[in-house]
Amino acid sequence: LHTLFPYTTLFRSMAAGQIYAEQHVPQLSQSASHPDFLKISDWQFRNITTMAVESPFIAKWMAQNNLKRYAVIGIQNDWGQSSVKNFSEEAATLGNEVVDTEFFNPGNRDFRSILTKVARSKPDAIVLFMFYEEAASFLQQRTQMNVQTVVYGGSPLYERSEEHTSELQSPS
């Protein structure tokens, strides 16, 4: 019996991948954007881009908007680390500067210390590699602290809600 077992998170998809591969069960993920997901086996598939593509695109997009100095904030996991790495490498290739890089633990909802540190580095823009729930808290605290720096982010931040849409630049 061959069945697709889609998970909605990268972490579950990556963890389950070896098990599915051993049993020759195809795994289709709509959310596993980590570049290594397809390296697990020939039984892993996805129908989205990876952060190896999207992160450099965001760096190019920010450069096209004449932004040169970036503060990068990422979730402390494989996905966040690879997203930050791909973005930072492309920013450097374009001759731009990452003036601050901050990571936070999954589930964190208090970004005030990160915002304070980032504001001191005086970036032209902040780029977020996190998920919508964390970004909502980040943007609320940014407003409360009156940090005026423009914020960019990738597709994981896209949500059809209008609540914070005006505060976030996203390619989605």
Side-chain angles (χ1 to χ4, degrees), residues 34-56:
H34 191 289
D36 291 342
F37 175 70
L38 295 181
K39 295 178 184 176
I40 294 172
S41 79
D42 292 336
W43 294 92
Q44 272 61 45
F45 304 93
R46 71 170 141 235
N47 59 355
I48 59 168
T49 64
T50 70
M51 295 311 289
V53 172
E54 189 171 326
S55 294

Side-chain angles (χ1 to χ4, degrees), residues 18 20-21 27 29 31 40 61 66 77 81 94 102-104 112-114 146 148 152 171:
Q18 285 296 332
Y20 295 153
Q27 180 185 22
S29 175
S31 61
I40 294 172
W61 177 37
N66 296 316
N77 61 28
Q81 291 173 348
L94 296 168
E102 300 292 328
F103 288 97
F104 66 92
R112 290 174 292 198
S113 62
I114 290 176
N146 198 30
Q148 300 295 315
Y152 282 69

Side-chain angles (χ1 to χ4, degrees), residues 119-140:
R120 284 189 204 134
S121 67
K122 299 185 188 322
D124 296 334
I126 299 169
V127 61
L128 305 178
F129 293 105
M130 61 180 70
F131 302 104
Y132 185 79
E133 295 80 8
E134 290 95 359
S137 295
F138 179 91
L139 293 171
Q140 287 171 343

Side-chain angles (χ1 to χ4, degrees), residues 102-121:
E102 300 292 328
F103 288 97
F104 66 92
N105 290 325
N108 180 47
R109 296 293 189 270
D110 184 356
F111 294 96
R112 290 174 292 198
S113 62
I114 290 176
L115 278 160
T116 300
K117 187 172 184 215
V118 163
R120 284 189 204 134
S121 67

